[in-house]
Amino acid sequence: MLFSFQWVLYGFDFKSLREKEETPYSLNSTLYHRLEVNKHANSVDCWVELSFTNKDSITNNCIDYYVKRTETFMRINDKISSMVKVELSHTEPNGERTTPETNLDVIEGLLSRIIPKSILEGITFDGERMKKLNFVGEQSKETIKNVISLVTNEKLFELCTAEIKDVKSDIHKMRKRINKSNGNVTAEGLENEIVDLEDAIEDKEIELSAISKNKEKIESRINEISLKFSQLEEAHKLEQKRKGLERDFVTAKKQFEQNTDLFYKRLLDGYALVTDKLVEDVKNSIENVDVPTGLTVEAVRSILKRPKCICGHDMDEEAVKTLTDMIAALPPDNISSTLLYMANQFEGEKKRAKNELKESYNAMKNSEEEVARIKNELSDISSSLISNVSETIKRLEMERRENDEQMGRLKGNEERCKATIERDNKRLKEARKELEDVSDNQEQIKALGSEQDVLELFSNAIKKIGERNNELSLESINRYLTDAYTLLSEDTGRRIYLCQYNNKEKYRLVTYVKSKYDELKSSWINSGRIKTLEDENLSESEIHERIVLEVVEGKSTGQSKVNSLAFAKAILDYSNEDRTTDKLRVTHDYPFLIDSPFTELSGENPANVANNLHRFANQIILMADEVSYGGVERWVSPSVCSKTELLKDMNEGITYIK
């Protein structure tokens, strides 16, 4: 029943359900099996129709929509196949209902604007989904991210970015046409190269983003395996040792990279080690020139101007020739003594460079050996786990190895992507400069260039506005989340938080004990760490998140359900808040669909949830069995507008409505 809401809107793969009866069909099982055994039956229809009201954002008129999905199961050559048909209609202002639209693209286009597929992850909850929302892993973060991206209008900024790209593409085409008509082959070629480079950079950035997501998924799975090892007595000690070695490995690898960088940096200064021949030639040159020490070019020229030499003899032709020849061979003032001084200094420079290089090389080799040693120890731990008698431990370690190998490949691809992006960006900058130099000095080209510059500014501005909008939205959702958790949870000592700054942890839903948070914050203040983080320009919210992540607590099943309900309420509260002064955000009055919210809750939690469930949204569809509903009926019933019972006929194998 719950998933029929999703099925009618966008279709739903019932095979994907876990911890439930899996079914390959969206039809009552009894009817399906009858079709299987009844050779005379040709087809059976299964359909769901949903009506909903949406307020038009332009006219403010409310429109009633009706969407119907029908799956027809047919017997063809003793095999059963199915065909799906979707219809969408609405009521006109005069009350008449329109002819149903059957084009799936048109239907999904309209639905995605009114109640997007991903938002169902945030307003449709069963017990299984509540658990998924609290897993420490990519699945829960992806669910939360999808919901938030819709209620915070992230799609708006993505659409703007796409539109700007299209306009930039049109400008490139116009510039190419102008250059082609003018016979400017060089400019035309550069335009083509720039377009190719921009596309290549965008493709690589998309690839880099995908690599980053895959790395997070693998890292999350490795953490899950590590947790399982820690819970197994036979593997606990080895896993603890591995965790310590992995921390040491990160430190040793960083030290190795620093020592290697220093070695190559000092190698650049090591040229003094290969200058022996040059220095020797300089010294010989200075010693072999027969020039009186201290004699300069200016002194000789001064002598040539006199009628007599400084020795008192007349300046005959022979004396003039000798002095003139001397000028040609004479170094500039004091150059000889300078060169000689520098040549002598090189001896000391050689010794210094040699000692520093030797020191850096030894440090580099030592840290390299430390990295190798830790690698060997980690390999030994892995081998020990694989050779363990427990099949569970063997299987987990084999999966761990596969994940490690995949992580290594991803890191290699990441480095190559970054190098390619850096190279292409460098060439893109050069190509744009070359294009500017060779483009004809025409008004059209200048105007298009100005438009392109403005678009770049727009693109950067939209990116910044989008990031800021996301940040403010998450801060707002966190406030709603705190209020909702306080309202629903009996544990007044705990707090809830949605991570938003740490890229690795972003969109992770966590809980923590307030007293431990206060204790750690006080410790950070006293130790000066808070001041250090403030000096690094971290905001109060960013520092708050860092402390929270240090004191994160585990969650019980009941606690997880309260967390999920608090998140759902926060999302609905955010969606419904008044935004008349904020044109970037849109108010959405979503309904709330929930199955069995009271089971597994204990203490005051069932009463808290039941007492406040009516505050979640203007329309709530609650599903609960007779027992769980009976325990909370006194709190829920005052807010119930209509009640429907689903009863089973065990003989017929069908469910009917009362």
Side-chain angles (χ1 to χ4, degrees), residues 635-646:
W635 296 300
V636 176
S637 58
S639 302
V640 173
C641 296
S642 63
K643 183 179 176 181
T644 301
E645 288 186 70
L646 303 178

Side-chain angles (χ1 to χ4, degrees), residues 1-12 14 48-50 69 593 623:
M1 179 71 181
L2 178 72
F3 292 107
S4 67
F5 285 95
Q6 289 183 263
W7 184 76
V8 66
L9 289 168
Y10 289 102
F12 184 81
F14 287 88
V48 174
E49 184 174 38
L50 177 70
R69 184 178 293 264
L593 296 86
M623 298 180 190

Side-chain angles (χ1 to χ4, degrees), residues 155-323:
K155 299 293 181 185
L156 172 66
F157 298 100
E158 291 175 10
L159 180 64
C160 288
T161 302
E163 289 294 328
I164 286 176
K165 184 185 174 186
D166 290 341
V167 176
K168 284 170 70 176
S169 178
D170 290 340
I171 290 175
H172 277 303
K173 289 175 184 176
M174 285 187 280
R175 289 171 65 110
K176 280 164 64 177
R177 280 199 299 269
I178 293 169
N179 285 317
K180 188 172 184 179
S181 64
N182 292 337
N184 194 336
V185 179
T186 304
E188 189 182 351
L190 284 167
E191 286 281 5
N192 289 329
E193 185 184 3
I194 287 169
V195 171
D196 291 342
L197 284 167
E198 288 175 344
D199 289 342
I201 291 168
E202 184 180 7
D203 289 343
K204 284 297 176 185
E205 285 176 343
I206 292 171
E207 184 181 345
L208 200 59
S209 177
I211 288 171
S212 180
K213 286 182 181 178
N214 286 332
K215 279 176 62 184
E216 287 179 7
K217 288 179 182 177
I218 291 171
E219 192 169 347
S220 175
R221 181 54 189 156
I222 289 172
N223 289 336
E224 288 173 16
I225 293 171
S226 178
L227 181 62
K228 288 180 180 179
F229 275 137
S230 298
Q231 294 167 345
L232 296 168
E233 188 177 345
E234 298 168 85
H236 176 72
K237 287 184 179 179
L238 284 173
E239 186 58 26
Q240 291 302 109
K241 184 179 179 182
R242 175 154 64 184
K243 282 183 177 179
L245 285 169
E246 284 176 339
R247 287 192 292 270
D248 293 342
F249 180 76
V250 171
T251 303
K253 191 176 179 184
K254 187 176 180 180
Q255 191 65 48
F256 171 67
E257 289 169 354
Q258 289 174 345
N259 288 336
T260 302
D261 289 342
L262 183 59
F263 174 75
Y264 283 110
K265 184 180 178 183
R266 286 178 170 177
L267 199 59
L268 292 173
D269 295 331
Y271 66 89
L273 300 175
V274 293
T275 57
D276 287 354
K277 186 69 171 66
L278 178 63
V279 173
E280 186 181 342
D281 288 347
V282 170
K283 285 183 175 180
N284 290 337
S285 176
I286 293 170
E287 291 171 1
N288 293 333
V289 176
D290 187 16
V291 178
T293 303
L295 189 60
T296 65
V297 171
E298 289 302 316
V300 175
R301 284 179 176 161
S302 176
I303 294 169
L304 284 170
K305 292 176 183 178
R306 298 168 179 267
K308 289 181 178 291
C309 179
I310 56 174
C311 61
H313 292 13
D314 291 334
M315 294 291 290
D316 55 20
E317 288 184 11
E318 185 178 350
V320 171
K321 184 177 183 306
T322 301
L323 290 172

Side-chain angles (χ1 to χ4, degrees), residues 352-366:
R352 183 192 65 79
K354 187 175 181 180
N355 289 336
E356 286 186 349
L357 275 171
K358 188 175 180 180
E359 178 189 317
S360 293
Y361 180 77
N362 288 335
M364 181 177 67
K365 291 299 291 181
N366 289 339

